[in-house]
């Protein structure tokens, strides 16, 4: 069949655009990689500049942060809410720089920065032939779990929701996968897990994202009705998978993170509906109450309430 007039020109143009875009991504990646290699002193200055830009200049989602904190801590004074807000933006700035550092950080440096205290909990479950679902929130530095495969003898998959920016997607993919984690797009996760149910793996879910209506369960969380993602619980019941909560806490020294694993259930099939989700919410709320500045308050967690 004869091609329409101009078809070849459009095809060449599209190919050129893709090549230019890929070249731009690679140049941006090189730039970010070089930034990650900067000395600690310069990165500290960058962190302060980022904090100043986010908190003082751009006021990045400032109204959302203050509103979320005020609703979550109704007994706190305005001055206390403002203090937590400042600490949050400082953490957000540090988190951004730390995440960039993960792009070039060696395994040895990573192990100094992050201490995973009890990986044997996961290893024991795997030795019993069980799939493992790890749930956590946007608390602390959740990206630091990219080192987890180095502590285990089996595969670890991280479930992710693709970002709108292709560059951010590519950047996060490199960061998350460089120590062996395998990534699963959220729309492909259920099919993959069910088809690999006889090959036990660990699957990481960040389960405090604003859920779709189909996978929504509402419970009391941070003093207000909150819709929570239930996909991890549903898959745990389908696979009879062990469910474990990962707590990522700032060290008392103020530098580095401690990761602890806590068992939610070994028998998801026998657990009452939504009890797994409620328990996850309880663990996360406990972490947030311990140090509220480390949760991602810029999320519009309650925006879809009633949808």
């Amino acid at each position: 069949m004869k091609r329409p007039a101009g078809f070849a020109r459009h095809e060449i143009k599209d190919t050129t655009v893709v090549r230019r875009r890929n070249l731009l991504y690679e140049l941006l990646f090189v730039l970010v990689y070089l930034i990650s290699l900067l000395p600690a002193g310069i990165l500290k200055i960058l962190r302060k500049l980022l904090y100043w830009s986010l908190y003082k200049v751009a006021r990045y989602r400032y109204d959302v942060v203050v509103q979320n904190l005020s609703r979550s801590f109704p007994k706190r004074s305005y001055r206390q809410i403002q203090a937590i807000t400042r600490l949050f933006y400082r953490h957000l700035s540090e988190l951004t720089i730390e995440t960039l550092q993960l792009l070039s950080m060696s395994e040895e440096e990573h192990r100094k920065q992050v201490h995973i205290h009890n990986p044997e909990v996961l290893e024991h479950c795997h030795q019993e032939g069980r799939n493992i679902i790890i749930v956590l929130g946007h608390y602390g530095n959740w990206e630091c779990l990219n080192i987890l495969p180095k502590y285990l003898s089996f595969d670890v998959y991280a479930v992710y929701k693709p970002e709108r920016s292709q560059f951010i997607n590519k950047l996060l993919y490199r960061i998350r996968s460089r120590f062996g984690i395998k990534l699963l797009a959220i729309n492909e996760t259920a099919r993959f897990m069910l088809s690999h149910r006889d090959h036990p793996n660990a699957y990481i879910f960040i389960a405090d994202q604003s859920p779709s209506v189909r996978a929504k369960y509402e419970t009391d969380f941070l003093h207000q009705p909150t819709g929570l993602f239930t996909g991890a619980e549903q898959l745990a019941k389908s696979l009879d998978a062990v469910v474990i909560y990962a707590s990522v806490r700032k060290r008392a020294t103020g530098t580095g993170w401690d990761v602890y694993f806590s068992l939610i259930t070994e028998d998801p099939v026998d657990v009452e509906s939504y009890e797994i989700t409620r328990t996850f919410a309880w663990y996360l709320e406990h972490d947030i109450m311990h140090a509220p500045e480390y949760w991602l308050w810029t999320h519009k967690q309650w925006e879809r309430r009633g949808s």
Side-chain angles (χ1 to χ4, degrees):
M1 186 171 69
K2 188 176 181 180
R3 290 185 175 185
F7 181 87
R9 288 198 303 272
H10 287 301
E11 191 176 49
I12 293 171
K13 184 178 179 181
D14 290 344
T15 303
T16 302
V17 169
V18 170
R19 285 177 178 173
R20 287 177 178 174
R21 185 182 298 141
N22 289 337
L23 177 60
L24 176 61
Y25 289 159
E26 289 303 316
L27 290 174
L28 285 172
F29 174 78
V30 170
L31 176 61
V32 173
Y33 186 84
L34 291 174
I35 291 172
S36 74
L37 293 171
L38 290 172
I42 296 178
L43 288 175
K44 186 176 181 180
I45 294 172
L46 287 178
R47 179 191 60 75
K48 289 182 178 180
L49 287 172
L50 185 59
Y51 166 73
W52 180 76
S53 299
L54 292 173
Y55 181 55
K56 297 289 187 180
V57 180
R59 306 289 272 182
Y60 173 66
R61 292 195 175 182
Y62 178 82
D63 291 340
V64 174
V65 173
V66 172
Q67 185 178 67
N68 284 344
L69 283 167
S70 299
R71 289 176 175 176
S72 300
F73 300 97
K75 294 183 179 181
R76 301 285 181 99
S77 67
Y78 178 76
R79 181 176 293 181
Q80 289 173 316
I81 295 298
Q82 286 296 309
I84 298 173
T85 300
R86 285 193 296 273
L87 289 173
F88 163 71
Y89 279 101
R90 186 171 289 117
H91 163 65
L92 184 60
S93 305
E94 292 174 348
L95 177 64
T96 303
I97 299 300
E98 284 183 9
T99 302
L100 293 183
Q101 286 181 286
L102 291 175
L103 194 59
S104 59
M105 185 179 289
S106 69
E107 181 181 342
E108 182 181 359
E109 291 172 325
H110 200 309
R111 287 177 180 267
K112 291 178 181 177
Q113 186 72 13
V114 179
H115 185 192
I116 296 182
H117 284 264
N118 54 342
E120 64 276 2
V121 172
L122 307 179
E123 199 66 53
H124 173 73
C125 296
H126 178 73
Q127 288 174 2
E128 292 190 338
R130 305 290 299 277
N131 280 290
I132 304 162
I133 290 179
I134 302 168
V135 289
L136 69 157
H138 286 94
Y139 185 86
N141 186 345
W142 55 92
E143 299 291 357
C144 73
L145 280 176
N146 70 337
I147 194 67
L148 188 57
K150 295 296 183 180
Y151 288 82
L152 302 173
S153 63
F154 53 94
D155 287 338
V156 180
Y157 291 82
V159 178
Y160 75 100
K161 183 178 180 181
E163 302 288 338
R164 292 180 181 178
S165 166
Q166 290 187 38
F167 172 68
I168 296 298
N169 271 328
K170 289 176 181 290
L171 182 65
L172 289 177
Y173 189 95
R174 296 197 191 199
I175 289 171
R176 291 167 177 169
S177 62
R178 62 185 300 256
F179 292 115
I181 277 186
K182 300 178 180 181
L183 299 180
L184 283 175
I186 193 166
N187 60 331
E188 303 169 353
T189 299
R191 180 180 298 177
F192 180 89
M193 290 177 65
L194 292 171
S195 64
H196 290 76
R197 64 189 308 155
D198 296 328
H199 304 278
N201 300 304
Y203 299 91
I204 299 174
F205 286 80
I206 297 181
D208 63 344
Q209 301 180 66
S210 186
S212 66
V213 175
R214 288 182 304 170
K216 182 176 181 180
Y217 168 70
E218 194 168 271
T219 188
D220 187 72
F221 178 71
L222 294 173
H223 299 102
Q224 54 200 305
T226 304
L228 292 175
F229 173 75
T230 61
E233 173 171 339
Q234 293 168 9
L235 283 166
K237 286 180 174 292
S238 296
L239 295 172
D240 192 27
V242 178
V243 185
I244 288 173
Y245 175 75
S247 177
V248 183
R249 292 194 174 191
K250 195 79 168 182
R251 287 180 187 156
T253 58
T255 58
W257 300 94
D258 289 316
V259 179
Y260 301 90
F261 296 111
S262 301
L263 178 66
I264 290 180
T265 182
E266 290 182 298
D267 303 299
V269 177
D270 298 328
V271 172
E272 179 185 348
S273 293
Y274 304 119
E275 183 62 27
I276 292 171
T277 303
R278 281 195 295 268
T279 305
F280 159 72
W282 182 89
Y283 272 115
L284 179 58
E285 186 176 64
H286 183 267
D287 278 343
I288 293 170
M289 291 297 183
H290 173 73
E293 63 269 25
Y294 297 125
W295 196 45
L296 195 61
W297 294 101
T298 50
H299 264 194
K300 298 180 180 180
Q301 178 69 40
W302 294 280
E303 188 179 58
R304 298 182 185 176
R305 186 183 167 189
S307 61

